[in-house]
Amino acid sequence: MKKAFSLIVVFLAITTIAFAQKGVIKFTKESHDFGKVPQGTPVTFTFEFTNTGTDPVVISNAQPSCGCTTPDWTKSAVLPGQKGFVKATYNAAAMGSFNKNVTVTSNAERASIPLTLTGEVTAKEAQSTAAASPAAPAADKNKKKGTK
């Protein structure tokens, strides 16, 4: 009888602890598309979040998927109702499309959250040529009709 009672008490204690709300990280957005990025130009985006839970949230790590991405984050505890950030800088050295992740680890209810950066690194020449080409048709409009 004592064993059954003890088991019930332990079960209730574990259930109560499991359902107690922790800190909850709510990001305004979990992915960002940089679009076209000139090669060799680092780009940065700051992911902002709010702690919508009842306990403080502490980010213990923000791990990038490769060495070309450098994260920074709020190092102090984010109290309930307060805001924090995870800033990610992508190097943009290699040409082509990119899809990089920064995995945020914390003591929040959702302990691991992947944040995504996407875009396309283009040659600097292609960027300047693309910017100059819309001006060319405007010059053609100034031509007089019927002249050769």
Side-chain angles (χ1 to χ4, degrees), residues 30-31 47 62-71 88 90 98-104 113-118:
E30 293 184 12
S31 65
F47 295 94
Q63 182 67 43
S65 58
C66 72
C68 57
T69 306
T70 307
Y90 176 66
F98 63 90
N99 185 351
K100 304 298 177 184
N101 290 323
V102 174
T103 303
V104 177
I113 302 172
L115 304 175
T116 306
L117 301 172
T118 58

Side-chain angles (χ1 to χ4, degrees), residues 25-101:
I25 292 179
K26 177 72 175 161
F27 280 95
T28 48
K29 61 191 273 190
E30 293 184 12
S31 65
H32 178 72
D33 184 0
F34 286 108
K36 294 188 185 281
V37 178
Q39 186 176 17
T41 306
V43 288
T44 301
F45 184 76
T46 303
F47 295 94
E48 295 180 349
F49 69 88
T50 303
N51 178 358
T52 60
T54 57
D55 291 343
V57 169
V58 177
I59 296 176
S60 57
N61 195 15
Q63 182 67 43
S65 58
C66 72
C68 57
T69 306
T70 307
D72 186 23
W73 63 91
T74 303
K75 304 291 195 277
S76 59
V78 179
L79 300 175
Q82 298 295 311
K83 294 183 180 287
F85 71 90
V86 175
K87 182 168 57 169
T89 301
Y90 176 66
N91 188 348
M95 295 266 298
S97 296
F98 63 90
N99 185 351
K100 304 298 177 184
N101 290 323

